C-alpha cells in the first residue's frame, strides 16, 4: 500500500492523505477544511480506481474558486499516476 501526502492549493484543506493499493483508493483524509466534505469524499472514493476518481472529480469547483477539494484530490491522483506509471 502506498501513502500519498499532497498539499492542495486554493482550498481550505491544508493536506490530503490518500492510501492506494493496486490503483485502488483505500482511504482518503483531508486535514483542515470542512469535516463533512472530507468524510463525504472519503466514503465516495473508497475502493474506487484512481482513473475513475480522476474522471469524476476533475474540474469540480467550490463556489467562485477555480478549484475544490475534490478537484485537488484529482490533481493528487494525476501526480501519483505520472510518478508511478512513468
Amino acid at each position: 500500500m502506498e501513502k500519498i501526502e499532497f498539499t492542495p492549493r486554493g482550498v481550505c484543506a491544508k493536506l490530503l492523505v490518500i492510501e492506494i493499493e493496486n490503483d485502488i483508493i483505500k482511504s482518503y483524509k483531508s486535514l483542515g477544511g470542512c469535516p463533512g466534505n472530507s468524510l463525504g469524499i472519503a466514503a465516495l472514493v473508497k475502493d474506487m480506481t484512481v482513473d475513475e476518481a480522476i474522471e469524476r472529480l476533475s474540474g469540480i469547483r467550490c463556489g467562485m474558486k477555480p478549484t475544490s477539494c475534490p478537484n485537488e484530490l484529482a490533481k493528487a491522483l494525476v501526480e501519483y499516476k505520472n510518478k508511478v506509471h512513468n
Side-chain angles (χ1 to χ4, degrees), residues 10-83:
V11 297
C12 300
K14 303 298 180 213
L15 183 69
L16 306 181
V17 180
I18 309 125
E19 291 184 332
I20 299 172
E21 185 172 36
N22 299 322
D23 276 351
I24 304 290
I25 300 167
K26 293 302 180 181
S27 71
Y28 164 85
K29 182 163 105 173
S30 69
L31 304 175
C34 174
N37 188 34
S38 180
L39 291 171
I41 294 168
L44 291 170
V45 299
K46 184 172 175 26
D47 297 325
M48 188 180 285
T49 67
V50 168
D51 287 335
E52 185 177 6
I54 292 169
E55 182 180 326
R56 289 177 179 236
L57 302 176
S58 291
I60 293 175
R61 296 174 56 153
C62 183
M64 297 303 291
K65 294 178 184 180
T67 192
S68 66
C69 290
N71 188 60
E72 292 299 303
L73 171 55
K75 288 180 182 180
L77 295 172
V78 167
E79 189 176 284
Y80 160 80
K81 271 188 68 167
N82 289 337
K83 179 181 153 192

